[in-house]
Amino acid sequence: MLDDQSLGPIRLSSSAHAALRPAGIARIDGGFWSERQRINAAAMIPGGFAQLEQAGNLENLRLAAGTASGPYHGDLPFLDTDVYKWLEAASWQLARENDPLLTKRVVEAIELLSAAQEPDGYLESYFQVTRPGEQFVDLKWGHELYCAGHLIQAAVAHSRATGRPELLQIARRVADHLVATFGVDRKDALDGHPGVETALVELYRETADERYLRLAEYFIDRRGHGLVGDGKFGREYWQDHTPLREAQFATGHSVRQLYLLTGAIDVYLENGDETLLTAVVRLWEDMVATKTYITGGMGSHHTDESFGEPYELPNDRAYCETCAAIASVMLNWRLLLATGDTRYADLAERTLYNGFLSGISLDGTGYLYINPLQVRDGHGGRPGDHGVIRAPWFRCACCPPNVMRLLATLQHYVAATDGFGLRIHQYASGEFGGMVAGGSAAVRVSTEYPWHGRIEVAVTATPGNSWPLSLRVPDWSGAPTLQVNGESQPADVRAGWVHIDRSWRVGDRVVLDVDMPVRPSTPHPRVDAARGCVAIERGPLLYCLEQTDQPAGIRLDDVAIDPAAALSTEDRPDLLGGVTTIRTTGVLAEPADQGWWPYGTARSDTRPVELTAVPYYAWANRARGSMRVWIPLAGT
Amino acid sequence: MLDDQSLGPIRLSSSAHAALRPAGIARIDGGFWSERQRINAAAMIPGGFAQLEQAGNLENLRLAAGTASGPYHGDLPFLDTDVYKWLEAASWQLARENDPLLTKRVVEAIELLSAAQEPDGYLESYFQVTRPGEQFVDLKWGHELYCAGHLIQAAVAHSRATGRPELLQIARRVADHLVATFGVDRKDALDGHPGVETALVELYRETADERYLRLAEYFIDRRGHGLVGDGKFGREYWQDHTPLREAQFATGHSVRQLYLLTGAIDVYLENGDETLLTAVVRLWEDMVATKTYITGGMGSHHTDESFGEPYELPNDRAYCETCAAIASVMLNWRLLLATGDTRYADLAERTLYNGFLSGISLDGTGYLYINPLQVRDGHGGRPGDHGVIRAPWFRCACCPPNVMRLLATLQHYVAATDGFGLRIHQYASGEFGGMVAGGSAAVRVSTEYPWHGRIEVAVTATPGNSWPLSLRVPDWSGAPTLQVNGESQPADVRAGWVHIDRSWRVGDRVVLDVDMPVRPSTPHPRVDAARGCVAIERGPLLYCLEQTDQPAGIRLDDVAIDPAAALSTEDRPDLLGGVTTIRTTGVLAEPADQGWWPYGTARSDTRPVELTAVPYYAWANRARGSMRVWIPLAGT
């Protein structure tokens, strides 16, 4: 059945203030992302459950339920969210594919949550087990509302994906408890970690209960008035230094800031308060223009996991938490829905293919929490190497199940309807469709993206009248070429879209070809950390040099790009699960002996060197070694 | 009386394995450093005493003595060392100049220490007051031996400077307690923070009691065998990961590493164990070639105050603790004494004039704990601003009294004897002398260094026979010119020295002129953080651009050096206590609007801009604003 009601993570209410609505039909069934979804289902989600059992997250809930005894596992107050995010991912996965074993595990986890929940609806095993009687007391660091948010998102997912009510009932009791507890005339307080806002809006969408939307509005409105207060990192850390509508700069803990903006735009989508949209766009522009890595990653400081100062973007000490990349995709998707502006789809694409995907090993068994853009020659076995070596899980395991839930829903991020026609804003092979002018429409997309820029779109369902099919032209693309049913047409790109408006017939075929030359990209001149360097990009992919691909015996830090040398591509189906590499003849500049002091008049002995770049997302899947995204230009 | 026995911080034993020995006559009485010593005496040392009273350090000792009651002030275990370092500085200052009020304060502090000391010799107010019964239990973090080291150094200073025994008696009781407690067959353990080693060697020099030298040897030999063990930053943090003689790289907490090396070279100087010298030189070469800023500063990481990886030298996030600069000067001086190699004097000079002196405000009332090489445009009021704004004192106030003790002894770092003649290795106006072949010799040095490169040396005492006067030619200098009694002579520079061997007569005059052109210095190509940039140097001084000296309205981060433009000097007696500025016509490159994404093909609109650089040591003495040491080269 063709339907315009998305069964994905966002189901806008009928009155939503959205330029676009998620496509009701959304299925990826081939190509690049299909393989990632397959690995998510085959390795990551099952592996995640085992990790939750091993790390004690499930046992902690049994402690809260009174069905087990012993010490609490771990010392973080938000360990339940790993279970919730896994449940969300598993539920979305069940919508994609039946899996009795996975269903059994999900049902058992839900029964465990039901047993652990307090009569008043409260549910957070850490406080129930280790700090009973302290509920909603330590809101700065307790993460209780953050936990509730992830539970609610899992419950909405489970309800939409399976049609079953059990988890949603648990989540509503949690949410009702929050509604009863928090408010200007009740407990006037906020969580130290935003996140519940977006969940409450989605719960409103799922239930039509406006109290949840009102509570989300309250949490957005009250932040910035010092209700959270000071902490060791200052009020900016949790965005409590200034009200969102007055804030000029993206600041503080990156994931907190991004989740807050995501929640604010969700509130805007439902209540139409344009002061929120204006504020979120303003902070997005500051964040993207001055505090975002070329990977799409965000967060420059390790200590407080925060945005750095404008243009403070160190490559080696980049934080770029995988969760921040996920939060950025969530935010950009909502901004795309709100505005239809392709820049949000452009950044989502960049983040998905680079700063997000780098967080997952090719086989789905290892993760990066931190996603640096450089590993220096001589990087040693220091504390902090979790940014260099993939781990199967983390003590603070927020990223892995967050990755799983995004991968399990990725098909929903691809297409949208705009009231008139269908828009394809990300490129993946599959079927996408929804309500267009006059009825339901659907298309099949076939593409070898991101390796090749040819995108074929075949109409598989259409009403009798005409409607526009709109295809996004990525920001990195030059002028694309367009064919409709084999005939070339001018590709008239308007604000990032090619619109093709006609009376479609089933079987009609559109071919959009976006050019994918190798692009040596330069940094903004204020980005000190990348001065005199270029990054190699092709299509949506950012490339890097890994030590292991270069001639033996050279130091990667002595390598430079020759601006006069050609950059050629080579398809390597044998390498890293199948990639296109980029090769060039660079310059190896080995520093001449300068004596004991490394400053003065530098001299180097130079000779040509064959260099091979691989996609950044695939780094750290082989022998440990140095890596660079930004490569010096010879002569600087 | 002419004497070859230095009354400074190092008094080598007669059998010491030293190429050079500190000059017995050492007095700075004019010029650049004399003014700093004046401020040290007039403002810093008196101000320090007031801060110690205000911060509670002295009250803590009263608590330990039982003459006061109340809570312990502060939560750091090494707060007594602030008192010890101040006592050391005050004692050295009393050797320079009589001061009854200062004497009174010193005597009172010593009486307080005497009252606080336990019958067994133990003295550390933190453990005595807050953790009685836990002595030498928490050696990882307790700093008890580190504290003892600073007490011993203060006691040696007080003994040498005043001839009075009281503090030395207290220190010997502390040291004897250590001797009785620690050893392979006693408590086989080490302090988490090296420092006691150098103090024990000096106490051996002062007392001729070999037990202290043996204990220092023990502490050096046993480190690296895991006796300290793991901590949150790993064993490298306190250099307990590998024995010193096997270590290949300078690692871990910078000050700990530098104090350890200083102690090791002190042990070498007395016992002649060349395996120690070899190891220290190896680590020095690694450290200086790959982990040292152009300021001479060391330490790239804030979190663990550690050296970074090789060539990891971020300018904005430089740690460069003032104490690390002091420790480096201490180490380099000892290495110079051990070897006579001028590279140690070169690095000491660089560090003194730049990375050390930047830690002190011009008026001696404010300090920097952290000495960054860049403050970015838009640097906000974040936690960590103590690297940007000078403070009168710190919660962890290790740096200010450390500064005071180095300034109060600076004259001892200027000249040495080599068994044949006299060597001048730093340049400051004053009188210096000691035992040369045939008897005692002395010279008067007159110079406007570091502003002008003319150094006049007049012989004021000499035996009848000939002896060599050796003058160091700094590594940054080209070929110097030399006159003896008004006649030009070839300046034959051998391994960094000009040797003039003749039968001197009182009144003989030598003039060495070292050229001081403005030098645009480039970084080692592996220093990513300075790629495409130059630093401006002149003589021993490093320069920087401060926002306040540039035309109004420009962003310092948009400024570039035009390599074709002249760099001219201007003497500015009115500015920053009197400095020579460096001016040039640079390029202001204002980024053209690139839309929302800061990467791609950068474009800038350029126009000329007049730039004024000031000495780095004088930065952060005026309006708060941005600052850069490394300045982009136009066109990169």
Side-chain angles (χ1 to χ4, degrees), chain A residues 309 379 522 528 558 600 628, chain B residues 309 379 522 526 528 600 628:
Chain A
E309 297 174 5
H379 181 85
T522 53
D528 293 294
D558 292 341
R628 293 189 79 106
Chain B
E309 298 174 6
H379 181 85
T522 53
R526 291 186 190 138
D528 293 293
R628 292 189 80 105

Side-chain angles (χ1 to χ4, degrees), chain A residues 280-301:
Chain A
V280 173
V281 170
R282 181 173 64 236
L283 295 195
W284 184 95
E285 288 177 345
D286 170 66
M287 180 171 72
V288 176
T290 74
K291 294 164 188 166
T292 300
Y293 286 90
I294 194 169
T295 58
M298 296 178 187
S300 304
H301 287 186

Side-chain angles (χ1 to χ4, degrees), chain A residues 232-234 236 251-252 284-285 288-290 292-296 301-304 306-314 316-317 342-344 346-347 350 374-383 385 475 520-533 537 555 557-558 589-592 594-604 628 630 632-633 635-636, chain B residues 232-234 236 251-252 284-285 288-290 292-296 301-304 306-314 316-317 342-344 346-347 350 374-383 385 475 520-533 537 555 557-558 589-592 594-604 628 630 632-633 635-636:
Chain A
K232 61 180 168 177
F233 301 124
E236 288 193 0
T251 52
W284 184 95
E285 288 177 345
V288 176
T290 74
T292 300
Y293 286 90
I294 194 169
T295 58
H301 287 186
H302 278 232
T303 304
D304 54 354
S306 72
F307 291 106
E309 297 174 5
Y311 307 104
E312 182 193 358
L313 295 160
D316 49 350
R317 296 289 291 169
T342 52
R343 65 182 182 174
Y344 304 117
D346 286 327
L347 185 55
R350 173 178 294 277
Q374 177 182 16
V375 178
R376 206 177 293 278
D377 285 313
H379 181 85
R382 310 180 66 84
D385 269 6
D475 59 336
S521 292
T522 53
H524 191 288
R526 289 184 190 140
V527 180
D528 293 294
R531 176 169 292 110
C533 294
E537 299 188 275
R555 280 180 72 119
D557 288 346
D558 292 341
E590 289 173 316
Q594 300 196 131
W596 58 274
W597 184 241
Y599 306 97
T601 307
R603 289 179 305 109
S604 299
R628 293 189 79 106
W630 289 105
L633 265 175
T636 60
Chain B
K232 61 181 169 176
F233 301 123
E236 288 193 0
T251 52
W284 185 94
E285 288 178 345
V288 176
T290 75
T292 299
Y293 285 91
I294 194 169
T295 58
H301 286 186
H302 278 233
T303 304
D304 53 355
S306 72
F307 291 106
E309 298 174 6
Y311 307 104
E312 182 192 357
L313 295 160
D316 48 351
R317 297 288 291 170
T342 53
R343 63 184 183 173
Y344 305 115
D346 286 326
L347 185 55
R350 174 177 294 276
Q374 177 183 15
V375 178
R376 206 178 293 279
D377 284 314
H379 181 85
R382 309 182 65 85
D385 269 6
D475 58 335
S521 292
T522 53
H524 191 288
R526 291 186 190 138
V527 181
D528 293 293
R531 178 168 291 108
C533 294
E537 299 188 274
R555 280 180 73 119
D557 288 345
D558 292 341
E590 288 173 316
Q594 299 197 129
W596 57 275
W597 185 242
Y599 306 96
T601 308
R603 290 180 305 107
S604 299
R628 292 189 80 105
W630 289 106
L633 265 175
T636 58

